[in-house]
Amino acid sequence: MAKTISINAGSSSLKWQLYQMPDEKVLAKGIVERIGLKDSIFTVKYGNGEKFEIITDILEHDLAVQKLLEALIQLKIITDYKEITGVGHRIVAGGEIFKESVVINDDVLAKIEALADLAPLHNSANAAGIKAFKKVLPDIVSVGVFDTAFHATMPEVAYRYGIPKEYYEKHQARKYGAHGTSHDYVANEAAKLLGKSVTDLKLITAHIGNGASITAVCHGKSIDTSMSFTPLAGVMMGTRSGDLDPSLIPYLMEKTGISDIKEMTEILNKKSGLLGVSGISSDMREIIEARKSGNSDAKLAFDMFSDRIRKYIAQYFAVLNGADAVVFTAGIGENSNWVRSEIINQMTWFGIAIDEVKNVARAKGIISTEDSKVKVLVIPTDEELMIPRDVEKLKNYS
Ligand code: AMP
């Protein structure tokens, strides 16, 4: 049976999962952390909960790939590299070029690298992962799966900005969205759960984790989403500000003496959101604990977080002209009944109501009341799985 490996390469990390296809069984998974630094951490989980970990210096992605392939043999997860028939790479920005997954050749790789303007940290790291695999296993089929691709169906009215059109035409300044594979996956799972075809449904999918985005999915296609040119926009997140008035940026730079726009962008990406407002943490569990013990900043952070998500969901009821279901997923969406209740309980006017008996912490499935016109669903996301599926689909066309 074919084995496919999915790769999610970051600037200093490489996450991977080895699947047996077509039955989609995870045979092993692992992460290499601190690539490029001393004491990199190399971890593999496999078999019946077995774990292998070493600390060693892994200075580049090539070596990380080589070590992971060696470990697969050493741990007897595979006996020969030939068993791996495909590799799929998660790529953050596909721009206007990649509207679906593709087999990666030299031309595709060059385009992925050229798109680094849209996601500087991510696309360069993704390209490093691709090159590392090509070097170690040159003949393997390599597929790129793009975070933005699911949103390629957005209409122009949703993806354009109200700025001079030459900025779009010359510089591709437009909304691209993100988390596409997750929204796509949960929309399809929601349809299965509701016993309907996704093409007959209007869904609002809420991927709420450390990064968060809301998408309006009309008949299986994304027609609007809250993340925009980059994943900084939309709802407030763990460390990201979400939407704000662009005039605030030059104002704050002047007032604080910050002269480097990169430093300001870093603050909006890494020091804002739940972390910035609470001054405590970007982690929702810690915010909830602090809120319970009466911390007013944590309460405000929690309330703002829920408020911003509620407003996007409300917008998308209008964009879709009504919806069949709201779907919660990712770390917070799957695990926090508090957040789900806080968001939905103030939207009953839309004909949506949560059944608090069903809305337990790790609920799965339908959690709305019997008579709720709009269903509320909790569906665990599995973004990784979309990667080997697309590798399987494209493998024979390479
Ligand atoms: P993700 O980025 O999808 O891994 O989600 C990470 C976020 O999920 C963090 O803010 C965690 O605090 C949050 N999270 C995980 N479990 C829980 C839980 N039981 N209750 C509230 N938040 C949770």
Side-chain angles (χ1 to χ4, degrees), residues 126 155 157 240 327 391:
N126 302 153
V157 68
R240 290 174 236 166
V327 186
V391 174

Side-chain angles (χ1 to χ4, degrees), residues 202-344:
K202 293 194 277 187
L203 301 167
I204 299 170
T205 49
H207 176 113
I208 314 175
N210 190 36
S213 66
I214 320 298
T215 296
V217 185
C218 187
H219 306 149
K221 291 186 164 48
S222 168
I223 60 164
D224 205 352
T225 192
S226 60
M227 282 179 170
S228 202
F229 180 63
T230 70
L232 175 58
V235 298
M236 188 174 110
M237 302 172 225
T239 60
R240 290 174 236 166
S241 63
D243 296 339
L244 41 76
D245 181 343
S247 311
L248 194 61
I249 296 169
Y251 171 82
L252 284 178
M253 288 177 75
E254 200 184 310
K255 291 288 172 195
T256 58
I258 294 174
S259 56
D260 183 354
I261 188 74
K262 284 199 181 125
E263 189 183 339
M264 197 68 225
T265 315
E266 176 102 349
I267 292 169
L268 298 177
N269 268 299
K270 303 234 169 103
K271 297 191 176 151
S272 301
L274 288 175
L275 174 65
V277 176
S278 72
I280 299 173
S281 174
S282 62
D283 191 297
M284 183 51 95
R285 284 166 292 204
E286 288 175 30
I287 297 292
I288 290 174
E289 282 313 306
R291 177 194 147 160
K292 279 187 197 153
S293 53
N295 184 306
S296 58
D297 288 337
K299 179 179 180 329
L300 179 63
F302 181 92
D303 290 348
M304 285 172 66
F305 186 84
S306 313
D307 170 82
R308 301 305 189 267
I309 293 170
R310 191 185 305 117
K311 284 178 188 160
Y312 260 100
I313 293 175
Q315 269 189 51
Y316 291 162
F317 274 116
V319 166
L320 289 161
N321 194 12
D324 298 292
V326 172
V327 186
F328 285 102
T329 194
I332 301 172
E334 288 168 33
N335 294 305
S336 179
N337 46 340
W338 276 58
V339 172
R340 294 190 298 253
S341 295
E342 186 70 21
I343 295 167
I344 299 296

